[in-house]
Amino acid sequence: MSGRPHCSELLDVDPDEELTEVVCLESELKDGQMMEVEVGHHNVLLVRSEGIYSAIGNQCTHYGAPLSKGVLSGHRVRCPWHGACFNIQTGDLEEYPGMDCLPCHTVKVENNKVYVSVNKKAARQTKRIKSMGSRVEGVIHTILLLGGGSASLVCAETLRQENFGGRIIMVTRDNLLPYDKTRLSKVMNVEDDSILLRRMEFFHKHDIEVWLRKEAMSLDTEKKKVTFDDGSVQSYDQLLISTGCRAKGLECPGKDLENVKMLETPEDARQIHVACIGCHIVIVGTSFVGMEVASYMTDKASSITVIGSSELPYQKTLGPEIGKVTMMMLAEKDVAFYMNDNVSEVRGENGKVKEVVLKSGTVIPADVLIVGIGVIPNSEFLQGTPIAMDSKSSVIVDKCMRTNVLEVFCGGDLATFPLKMAKDQRVNIGHWQMAQAHGRVAALNMLNIPTELNSVPYYWTVLLGKNIRYTGYGEGYTDIVVKGKVEEQKFLAFYIKDDEVIAAASLNYDPAVSAVAERFATGNTITKKEAESDDLRWLKLKLS
C-alpha cells in the first residue's frame, strides 16, 4: 500500500472515530475483483488489484449508482450508469460526469481476514470535494471564464485544485449558478435549488467570482479585454470561451405565437410543464431532448404529437432498429408520430397557438408547440476576432483546448476538437461529460501542465423510466451488430466502421456500455469479429 494516502489524510478526519469490521476472508476476493461490503451500515466498495486491497465509497458521486455493478480496469472503477471513473486507491474522480471524489477507507489483512476501518464522521458523507486552494495575496493573474456551464465550472475547480492563486471570474448570462442541464428534459417541474452543482458558499470559500445575468458582446484579443452587454469591460491574462449554444427556432409563419416554447433554462422547463398539463401538445424534433419531453409528458398532456424530419427518431445516431423501438415505446403511450415531415405554418387564435400545419398538408390541433430542432452556437461576439471558427461557427481547438490565439481556450458545446478515439478527427459533441473534460484539460494547460484530451464520449437518455446508454463516436458507421432483442427492450448494439466498433448503445444491458467505454479509453480496438461473436467474455462481464 506504499504511496497511497492514508484515509485520515484524504478526508482530514479524526482517526480515533473509526469503526473496524471484518468484511470477508482473504480467499473470497481474487485479484482484479471487487465486491460491495457493509461496515456499520455504511456501503463500501472493496477492491483487490495487483495483490493490494483498497476500500472506497460504493455510491457514484454523480447519481448514486452502485460502483460494485460497474467495471474495474487497472486502478480505476467505472460507473455502470453514466461512465464516471474513480481511482480505487484514493477515491479521486478521474472521469466525468461526476463532480466529486469518493471517501476512502483503511484496509488491513490479518490471519486471512480482511478488515475495513471506516471513519464514522466521514462515512456519513458519500461525496468528498477534492482539496482546493484560494486566492493568494499579490497574485494579479486573471483567468476569465465566459459561460456558466460545466466546462467553466470544472475549469475553475481544477485551477483551484492545482493551487492557482490568481483571480478567477466566471461570467454567465443565466440568472442561476452552474446547474445540471441534463435534468431539464427529464424532470421538467424541477426546482432551481435541486439542480445546482455548487452553492454560492462554495464559490465564496474558494474565491471564484461568479457574475450572473451578464453576456459578452465583443472580444479584443490584442488588448485582452472583453466588453459586456452592460458596457463594462474586463481584462484577462487567460480566457476560456464556453458560451455554449442556444435552441434553434422555427422559420415559418406563426413562430412567435404565445405557447411556442423552447427548452433552454429551468424556468423554460417549468413553464412547459405547467402549460402542457391537460393540453394538446406538439413537439417538433426527434432528438434526445424532443423524445425525452414526449416521454415526460405521457401522463400529463391530453395528447402528444411528435413531428420528425427523418423516417425514424435517432436515425443517424442510434440507427433504425433502436429508433423504431423507441417510437413503439412512446406509441404504446398514445404518442402520435408524423415522420418525414416538417412544420410549414403555426396558426393561432387570440395570439396563442391553435394548430400546426405540416408540409404534407396535415393539420394538428395544438395548445402548446415545443421546438427541439437543433442549436445555434453562441459565437457571434467572436466575429471579427482572429479566433478560427469552422463553417458552423464553432471554435476550432487543438487537443489541449487551445484556440489559434495565444492564451485563449475554448470548451463545451462551442468547441470543435480532435477526438482521440476517432483517430483525431475534428468533432463537435454536445455531451455534458465531454464539456467537463474540456474544462479540466483547459485548466491544466493554462497552468502549463501539458495535458491532452483523451476522454471517451458517454451519453444517456431516459425514455419512460428506461435508460439508453451510449458511448463512442458512431458518425459514419456502416453496420450495426445487435446482441439481445431490440423489440424486447433489452439489447446491446455495436456500431461498426472499417471492421472496428466505434460506438455502442444499450438498454437493460448494464454495465456493457461502461465496459465498452473502458475498452475505448485504454486504446484497445474492438473488432467486428468480437462484436459478432456469441461469446462476450472479452467484455470481462457477467451479462445476464
Side-chain angles (χ1 to χ4, degrees), residues 62-92:
H62 181 229
Y63 284 169
L67 294 173
S68 57
K69 306 281 189 188
V71 179
L72 179 63
S73 175
H75 290 116
R76 72 180 191 177
V77 60
R78 186 180 282 268
C79 171
W81 291 357
H82 308 121
C85 296
F86 302 88
N87 186 292
I88 58 173
Q89 295 182 335
T90 65
D92 284 353

Side-chain angles (χ1 to χ4, degrees), residues 13-59:
V13 296
D14 182 355
D16 296 327
E17 290 191 9
E18 287 193 337
L19 177 68
T20 302
E21 287 188 11
V22 177
V23 293
C24 70
L25 297 176
E26 191 176 2
S27 58
E28 288 183 64
L29 199 62
K30 294 184 173 61
D31 215 54
Q33 290 184 339
M34 57 184 176
M35 64 190 293
E36 177 186 343
V37 298
E38 289 283 327
V39 180
H41 305 294
H42 299 297
N43 200 236
V44 174
L45 182 70
L46 180 67
V47 185
R48 185 175 179 178
S49 177
E50 297 177 1
I52 297 173
Y53 288 88
S54 56
I56 56 177
N58 188 42
Q59 286 179 275

Side-chain angles (χ1 to χ4, degrees), residues 127-146:
K127 302 178 181 182
R128 170 175 61 85
I129 293 177
K130 197 170 184 180
S131 176
M132 293 172 66
S134 53
R135 278 200 76 178
V136 175
E137 193 175 346
V139 179
I140 58 171
H141 191 99
T142 297
I143 295 181
L144 183 60
L145 313 173
L146 298 180

Side-chain angles (χ1 to χ4, degrees), residues 52 68 75 177 235 240 263 281 340 396:
I52 297 173
S68 57
H75 290 116
L177 294 171
S235 299
L240 175 70
L263 178 58
I281 70 171
N340 288 323
I396 299 169

